[in-house]
Amino acid sequence: MPHKLSAKIISSVFLGLTIVGALSAHAADPVRLVGFDSLPMSSITDGNKLGGAGYEFVADLFKTAGIPFVAEGQSPLRIAESLDAGNTVAIYFIRNPERETRFAWVGGLIEDDGFAFITLANSPKIDSFEQAKSLKSIGVISSEAIRNILTAQGITTFDAAPSSVQNAKKLLAGRFDAWFSTITVARYWIKQEGVANNAITVGKTLVPAAGWITASKSLPAETLTKLQAAFTASKSDGRYEAFRAKIN
């Protein structure tokens, strides 16, 4: 009897240790850091690797906070799904009322931006959604959120592309009438194409766009707090200022 009892105790202890070990391994899983092809925030290179000023800045926050991560490039349409799946942080994601309670928010990567219609300098300036309704084709990034903004205004003439560089090239080639984009991204890519900013006309900011480092709602509170602290520190030690200088 004592022998059988000891065996049961040992078996229970072993089972308990196995469960604890499994839970610990799960808790130690690296956070998935995701981004889409939209420089200057992030870019996707060979093998779905991430690059770009935004990625480098956020990756540095993870390193400062001592949080392991794996980086993965995704399409814009998958970002929200990945955040919902858990254990994920997005480098750049627009914060709006519909998303406020759905996700957790690390820090404002670029809060002073906005969506506007970008046209070539020799084309009419578009300052309203009403004006845009007369356009035959509007360039947008492949994003459900952007489509929703425009369709809510009665605009359905989209020319969607998975990356902003494609939209910049199409605008400069005259392949659509206007590009609906955040101003920071549009100016960055026009400059990358070797074209002066005065080659384009930026319409009135129609939708404020606060781009945030965004986390899954279920991300452990300790992880979220560490990342938020690292972001706050970056604003006082010059790292955030250096990041903004790269993208402006």
Side-chain angles (χ1 to χ4, degrees), residues 97-109:
E98 291 76 20
R99 293 171 170 174
E100 188 63 35
T101 59
R102 181 178 173 185
F103 307 113
W105 306 95
V106 177
L109 190 66

Side-chain angles (χ1 to χ4, degrees), residues 16-28:
L17 290 174
T18 300
I19 293 172
V20 170
L23 290 174
S24 297
H26 178 72

Side-chain angles (χ1 to χ4, degrees), residues 3-220:
H3 176 73
K4 291 182 178 180
L5 184 59
S6 296
K8 288 182 178 180
I9 292 173
I10 291 171
S11 177
S12 297
V13 170
F14 178 76
L15 178 61
L17 290 174
T18 300
I19 293 172
V20 170
L23 290 174
S24 297
H26 178 72
D29 285 347
V31 175
R32 185 167 51 163
L33 180 60
V34 299
F36 59 98
D37 200 12
S38 186
L39 283 172
M41 308 311 169
S42 56
S43 66
I44 300 177
T45 58
D46 294 341
N48 273 352
K49 294 179 181 178
L50 285 172
Y55 164 71
E56 291 170 358
F57 174 73
V58 178
D60 183 63
L61 297 183
F62 271 84
K63 293 170 185 175
T64 300
I67 299 170
F69 69 93
V70 289
E72 179 183 329
Q74 296 186 346
S75 73
L77 296 174
R78 281 193 57 202
I79 299 294
E81 295 176 2
S82 296
L83 288 168
D84 283 335
N87 200 40
T88 299
V89 169
I91 294 166
Y92 173 79
F93 204 56
I94 299 299
R95 185 172 185 172
N96 59 31
E98 291 76 20
R99 293 171 170 174
E100 188 63 35
T101 59
R102 181 178 173 185
F103 307 113
W105 306 95
V106 177
L109 190 66
I110 174 168
E111 297 183 70
D112 54 346
D113 206 354
F115 284 91
F117 288 101
I118 318 296
T119 56
L120 294 177
N122 59 358
S123 298
K125 185 179 180 182
I126 305 298
D127 282 327
S128 69
F129 289 117
E130 191 62 33
Q131 284 179 280
K133 288 180 182 179
S134 66
L135 301 179
K136 294 180 179 179
S137 181
I138 298 170
V140 296
I141 196 163
S142 303
S143 165
E144 183 179 357
I146 307 305
R147 285 174 174 269
N148 289 343
I149 290 172
L150 294 177
T151 54
Q153 299 295 329
I155 299 170
T156 58
T157 52
F158 305 126
D159 183 344
S163 73
S164 296
V165 62
Q166 292 180 36
N167 282 328
K169 289 179 181 294
K170 285 182 177 181
L171 176 69
L172 294 173
R175 292 177 58 185
F176 44 61
D177 300 319
W179 177 14
F180 188 67
S181 168
T182 56
I183 297 167
T184 298
V185 167
R187 286 196 182 282
Y188 178 88
W189 276 110
I190 294 299
K191 189 182 296 183
Q192 290 299 304
E193 289 299 305
V195 179
N197 274 333
N198 61 10
I200 62 171
T201 299
V202 179
K204 181 181 177 181
T205 299
L206 299 176
V207 182
W212 278 63
I213 306 166
T214 310
S216 298
K217 190 73 173 178
S218 61
L219 194 73

